[in-house]
Amino acid sequence: MINVSKIKGQYQQLCHLVSARRVKDALDILSRMVGESGYSDFFIQQEHLEHTYEQMLKYMLEGVQDPERDSVYHKLLTSILELADRVKDKLMESHSGWHTYILKHEVDRQQALTGKRVIETMDDLSFKRELDEIIDEGQISPGADDDRRRKLSADIFKHLWLSNRYSEAENSLSAAIISCRDFLWHEKSLFISAILLSGLRYWDEEKVHRLMDFAGEEDQEVSARALVALVILLYQYDHRIEFYPNIIHRIKLISEDLKLEQNLEKIALQLIRTRDTLEIGRKLQEDLMPEMAKLKPKLEDKLKMDDIRDELLEEGRNPDWESVFSESDDLYRKVDEFMKLQMEVADVYMTTFAHLKQFPLFNELSNWLFPFHHANPDLKELYDAWTDSFDPGLFVDGLKKTPFLCNSDKYSFIFNLRFLPEEQKKMLSTAFLMEMEGMQDILEDEKLGSGDFIMRTVFIQYIQDLYRFFKISPFKNEFEDVFDGKLDLYRSDFFSHIVEDDSITRNIAEYFFEKDHFEEALDIFEMLLEKQADDRELMEKAGFCNQKLGRFNKAVRYYQQIGLSGDLNLWALKNLGICYRKLGDYHQALHVYEKASVLQPDDQTIESLTGFCHLKLGDFDTALKHYFKIEYLNPGNPHILRPIAWCYFALGELKKADKYFAKVFEGKPGYYDYINYGHLQWALGNKKDAVELYLQSLRDLDFEMEDFLNTIEDERSILLKKGINKKDIPLMLYYLQ
């Protein structure tokens, strides 16, 4: 049975096969899709494509030299994709039941009433008369007849959104919108969203060019949105761009004028930030349904080695690394903390305002992407609510100026005000006025009023508007979620055509790195290392990423590679030691820590790790020397008592072990302490005391019988060495159970 999921799956697979040049497999899928459509024109076009491919194969096998073969092959691939576009759209129209296609039928019906069903030029548009009124200066002023103006705006939006292919009519319409001064910035911004949604629904090269046209607008509210839409569309269709060389050619022509490199970096980083929003949301959900992780007994846990020094088991980032994002640039220095807070709690904004999207305004698809502006007729009812203690205009003006809420959330906030009691409105007005005064001081800074700040703010707000549209709007299921996936723009072909400066790619890697997205950070670091093989910091960070991802062998290779170009610093040695310990290679780890101790003598962390390696290698006497050194350097450290007690126990010096275990119990013992002390009492022949200690460990809610059994099994050999009868162990376990 054909359904939306199947249609999308077939289409995506076909596109992938064309990109991989598996033409026969792509044609097979196309044949199935055409058959499911039942549309005769598609059969004819499909047969023509198959015939072309067969002829190409025939000429190739016969050795016929055809100077046009590459051109024909390129055209064939493009034609397969474009026919697949038409077939997919026909299938979705027939089987999806989506609001999009219902609306498309309604628009087509109204167009048919004009007697010009086929739109060839702008004169054929159903709203041509209204369009002429606004284009011909003086007939409709921007403030006159809001209803007529809104209807025209809605008609243009629907036409640009629902048109599959842009021909002369759509191109002329876009040109007229750009050139006509009577179209306001917020109307142009809305039309950009229409082109973006249209492009995401149905590919057409002309839509990319129209976004480039809008990107050249002087008004930065318009230009910034067009750039975001352009980047998203290019990323979504990156596998196709190679078939349309005019796109790349034009991008290179406009790159310098539009500062594409710098702006692409800002847009890419903001798109990547949305991944943190998803991650925060997942974590919040998990917190609502916590699940206790199973404990895996380890000697480190038993001896609470990490309590000796906090950094014992995990060496952090290298303090020598400069943080690219530790300080904002001059533009953002004054609002650095505020902006950081906004980015960190983006999901909180989502959660807060998601419940405030029930107003009638949000029943219209286009309003999810409509810029916030004071002249919006939807705000009239709010303006009518003016009182001596509540001035709606104050809120609207303040919200328009603030860069810290997206447009969609500003509408949610302002409409919710109507339902507050008068006293709360008054209190909110006072607080809001104070906030606005403080914010105005910030925004009046001449640097913050610069174009770069405005562009950057629009990037942030528009991407957040889009995020809400694709994640929580009632129309979300009818669109491919552009925020669903890796968002690895740096791997895109179009990115490589725009970005020539490796520092931009490096900045993206640094953001991934600082936000603990180690997989993506590593991907870029390794890309950069292909060009900068001797960059020590890149190698350190690549090693650290592998280490954090649990790929300890690869991490070791990177750290060793650093050593080939010079001596390893203390940070690298410590992390190399961690990797060897994780791999269970305590001989190599010990060798590393001995080198580290030369660089930093008497360091308690290094001493404890050196002692631990000796302990794991069975050299308990040497391990004790290192632990006693820590005890000497840090008298009264209660955490060093456990490993000393364990070493004495392993050496068979049970009375000394008993002395140190007793000191441990003067503090706050944990479940492993009860087990360790139980072992000692059992070895001393005090079985009843051992039983009570074992039972005490099992009374801890975080420690279960399975954990206990695993611990006993891991330590069976050492118990036997201490004289415990092999046959007594299962009896003890049975009794405890």
Side-chain angles (χ1 to χ4, degrees), residues 505-524:
T505 311
R506 175 76 175 259
N507 285 347
I508 294 173
E510 297 292 354
Y511 180 82
F512 276 128
F513 186 72
E514 291 191 15
K515 294 301 178 182
D516 294 344
H517 297 305
F518 295 112
E519 190 79 54
E520 291 81 359
L522 177 62
D523 189 21
I524 303 178

Side-chain angles (χ1 to χ4, degrees), residues 608-627:
S608 61
L609 289 169
T610 305
F612 182 72
C613 289
H614 282 294
L615 188 152
K616 290 294 290 185
L617 293 169
D619 187 357
F620 300 107
D621 284 315
T622 307
L624 274 173
K625 292 177 183 177
H626 289 280
Y627 292 137

Side-chain angles (χ1 to χ4, degrees), residues 29 34 51 111 457 515 670:
I29 293 177
V34 167
H51 177 71
Q111 180 67 40
T457 300
K515 294 301 178 182

Side-chain angles (χ1 to χ4, degrees), residues 532-543:
Q532 307 166 41
D534 297 330
D535 190 311
R536 182 186 179 98
E537 186 173 315
L538 280 176
M539 286 188 280
E540 286 180 350
K541 289 182 174 178

Side-chain angles (χ1 to χ4, degrees), residues 474-509:
F475 314 99
K476 63 182 181 181
N477 293 329
E478 300 193 17
F479 297 89
E480 292 296 326
D481 185 353
V482 299
F483 299 98
D484 185 23
K486 294 182 68 175
L487 294 174
D488 52 348
L489 279 74
Y490 57 89
R491 280 287 184 187
S492 303
D493 285 340
F494 85 89
F495 187 93
S496 64
H497 287 294
I498 296 173
V499 176
E500 298 178 357
D501 185 354
D502 283 342
S503 67
I504 290 177
T505 311
R506 175 76 175 259
N507 285 347
I508 294 173

Side-chain angles (χ1 to χ4, degrees), residues 154-397:
D155 287 341
I156 294 174
F157 180 90
K158 289 175 185 175
H159 184 80
L160 291 174
W161 164 35
L162 298 171
S163 296
N164 287 352
R165 303 295 297 271
Y166 282 11
S167 60
E168 180 188 338
E170 290 73 35
N171 294 337
S172 298
L173 175 60
S174 295
I177 292 168
I178 291 172
S179 62
C180 178
R181 293 182 178 180
D182 283 332
F183 276 109
L184 304 176
W185 70 268
H186 50 80
E187 293 170 329
K188 292 180 180 180
S189 297
L190 187 62
F191 302 151
I192 287 167
S193 294
I195 298 172
L196 171 61
L197 295 181
S198 182
L200 293 173
R201 183 182 61 82
Y202 193 107
W203 163 261
D204 181 22
E205 178 184 7
E206 289 299 320
K207 296 173 185 178
V208 177
H209 287 292
R210 299 296 72 77
L211 289 175
M212 290 190 207
D213 294 341
F214 278 101
E217 276 279 77
E218 289 185 10
D219 192 314
Q220 290 169 321
E221 289 273 8
V222 177
S223 177
R225 282 176 171 81
L227 285 173
V228 170
L230 177 64
V231 169
I232 290 174
L233 207 56
L234 290 175
Y235 177 65
Q236 290 297 113
Y237 290 100
D238 188 59
H239 62 282
R240 282 201 179 197
I241 303 303
E242 62 173 312
F243 301 122
Y244 301 91
N246 287 338
I247 290 177
I248 298 301
H249 177 67
R250 188 175 176 194
I251 282 176
K252 291 181 176 179
L253 287 178
I254 65 175
S255 181
E256 186 175 349
D257 289 341
L258 297 182
K259 299 181 180 178
L260 277 187
E261 268 195 308
Q262 298 88 334
N263 285 323
L264 178 54
E265 177 187 0
K266 297 181 182 74
I267 293 169
L269 286 171
Q270 186 58 29
L271 287 170
I272 291 165
R273 284 189 182 104
T274 63
R275 293 187 44 173
D276 296 325
T277 304
L278 291 172
E279 183 62 25
I280 291 168
R282 280 195 292 268
K283 286 181 179 178
L284 288 174
Q285 278 193 321
E286 290 168 5
D287 287 342
L288 295 174
M289 299 179 290
E291 190 172 35
M292 184 65 67
K294 296 296 181 182
L295 297 173
K296 182 180 179 182
K298 294 181 180 179
L299 191 55
E300 292 95 324
D301 298 328
K302 283 174 58 61
L303 303 183
K304 294 198 174 182
M305 296 293 292
D306 52 338
D307 286 341
I308 299 173
R309 288 290 297 271
D310 291 340
E311 66 271 30
L312 178 66
L313 294 180
E314 190 62 58
E315 187 68 17
R317 287 169 164 77
N318 190 339
D320 293 333
W321 294 338
E322 285 189 26
S323 175
V324 173
F325 299 94
S326 62
E327 291 184 347
S328 297
D329 56 29
D330 289 337
L331 288 172
Y332 273 70
R333 194 174 301 279
K334 284 191 175 181
V335 291
D336 184 45
E337 290 306 315
F338 204 164
M339 292 298 286
K340 280 185 178 178
L341 179 64
Q342 185 194 23
M343 291 303 101
E344 292 298 330
V345 299
D347 187 69
V348 175
Y349 281 118
M350 269 285 293
T351 304
T352 301
F353 288 103
H355 302 294
L356 300 176
K357 304 292 186 189
Q358 309 304 319
F359 301 107
L361 178 83
F362 295 108
N363 293 334
E364 181 67 36
L365 179 145
S366 59
N367 286 338
W368 284 81
L369 301 171
F370 198 43
F372 187 84
H373 65 101
H374 69 278
N376 188 334
D378 287 306
L379 299 178
K380 182 179 183 302
E381 187 178 343
L382 184 74
Y383 287 132
D384 293 341
W386 184 91
T387 65
D388 290 338
S389 60
F390 174 66
D391 183 357
L394 170 71
F395 280 92
V396 173
D397 289 341

Side-chain angles (χ1 to χ4, degrees), residues 660-677:
Y660 275 92
F661 275 130
K663 289 182 179 180
V664 171
F665 274 72
E666 290 174 5
K668 187 177 179 181
Y671 39 81
Y672 280 129
D673 293 323
Y674 286 110
I675 294 175
N676 294 341
Y677 205 15

